Amino acid sequence: MSDGWEASVHSWDLSTGVDGPGTRFVLFLSGCPLRCLYCQNPDTWHMRDGQRRRLESIMEDVELYRRFLKVAGGGVTASGGEPLLQSEFVTRFFRAAREWELPTALDTSGHLGLRADEELLAVTDLVLLDIKSFDPRTYRRLTGEAVGPTLAFAERLASVGQAMWIRFVLVPGVTDDPENVAGLAGFAAALGPAVERVEVLPFHRLGQHKYDALRLPFPLADTEPPDDALIRRVVGQFADQGLPVLSA
């Protein structure tokens, strides 16, 4: 896969209003350096578990929906796993989509932001940036890694005016501390107009069956989804910073 024309692919799907504007062709790439406690897709952790596919084969799938995606105001999204593990391929995928006048979106944790070079960003219309926690200790507890690379990537995107949606998963007892939310809200507001919106995504356990199938323990099996009061409080903290904020 080193030539950038082939990728380890988990699957693809069509979605509306979730993975970028309009209806999207979402390509899920295999492999991820993080091990988030709430990960919904443990079956995407390893590149070796994906199906090796050439770009031209994938574009044949996109071609089936090309006209519909344009009419529906959508485009293509590279997700995962972590798509920046296969950044050369994503660049080629986005370039091919752009040639068909399909807008592109990169769904990433930002941990491998250094792999998003100028060539990739030049063919990226929108970055869906998952900032899982602002507090460094909480971030490491949640993902096993440091938050610094993600915050640096966000600042870099803002410096070049790259449009982004910031996503924050609200996990009771993990990411809901008021100071953690306030820190992230202040950071996002300081990024300026590049942040088109913030999405507060309530934690859920819908992916637990995948852990069961893989015979893996689900770390948050005993954690309840956030109640309406908690969601309103967190949404309010982002709104108080003047950020456009939505909650799923």
Side-chain angles (χ1 to χ4, degrees):
M1 292 180 287
S2 60
D3 67 355
W5 293 100
E6 188 175 68
S8 176
V9 176
H10 174 268
S11 59
W12 64 267
D13 200 357
L14 295 179
S15 72
T16 301
V18 177
D19 300 287
T23 298
R24 317 291 297 189
F25 179 99
V26 186
L27 184 67
F28 296 95
L29 299 175
S30 294
C32 186
L34 305 184
R35 293 294 179 266
C36 300
L37 297 182
Y38 55 68
C39 180
Q40 299 176 44
N41 300 304
D43 47 341
T44 66
W45 285 348
H46 305 291
M47 288 181 65
R48 64 176 181 266
D49 294 332
Q51 178 186 8
R52 296 179 67 170
R53 295 192 60 188
R54 301 287 293 180
L55 176 62
E56 56 266 28
S57 171
I58 293 168
M59 295 310 293
E60 288 175 1
D61 291 333
V62 179
E63 171 71 19
L64 297 174
Y65 304 96
R66 177 180 174 184
R67 181 176 298 180
F68 171 70
L69 294 173
K70 294 182 71 172
V71 171
V76 303
T77 298
S79 188
E82 172 50 67
L84 289 180
L85 271 176
Q86 304 181 66
S87 57
E88 290 185 19
F89 173 83
V90 174
T91 300
R92 297 184 190 279
F93 175 52
F94 281 3
R95 187 179 296 122
R98 280 282 197 88
E99 289 175 356
W100 287 353
E101 299 181 341
L102 293 174
T104 59
L106 175 69
D107 183 4
T108 176
S109 71
H111 183 69
L112 299 178
L114 290 176
R115 298 195 182 194
D117 59 18
E118 292 182 5
E119 187 177 4
L120 173 52
L121 293 182
V123 290
T124 301
D125 294 300
L126 175 68
V127 175
L128 310 175
L129 183 60
D130 301 313
I131 304 184
K132 302 168 189 299
S133 171
F134 186 74
D135 175 70
R137 290 172 297 180
T138 302
Y139 193 94
R140 186 169 292 278
R141 173 192 169 197
L142 183 63
T143 71
E145 297 291 344
V147 69
T150 294
L151 301 183
F153 184 52
E155 291 172 335
R156 179 178 152 221
L157 295 176
S159 72
V160 297
Q162 172 67 61
M164 67 183 111
W165 295 358
I166 290 180
R167 292 173 153 182
F168 172 70
V169 178
L170 176 58
V171 186
V174 182
T175 66
D176 60 338
D177 182 86
E179 291 186 6
N180 181 43
V181 177
L184 180 54
F187 175 80
L191 295 175
V195 179
E196 294 186 345
R197 75 190 201 190
V198 175
E199 296 183 334
V200 175
L201 307 177
F203 162 77
H204 59 71
R205 296 182 297 220
L206 298 181
Q208 185 166 351
H209 69 282
K210 295 185 179 181
Y211 288 82
D212 295 339
L214 294 170
R215 298 184 180 180
L216 293 172
F218 181 45
L220 299 180
D222 296 327
T223 300
E224 294 293 330
D227 59 27
D228 291 343
L230 178 55
I231 294 172
R232 285 196 300 271
R233 189 264 286 173
V234 171
V235 167
Q237 285 187 269
F238 285 104
D240 287 346
Q241 289 291 335
L243 292 161
V245 55
L246 301 175
S247 177

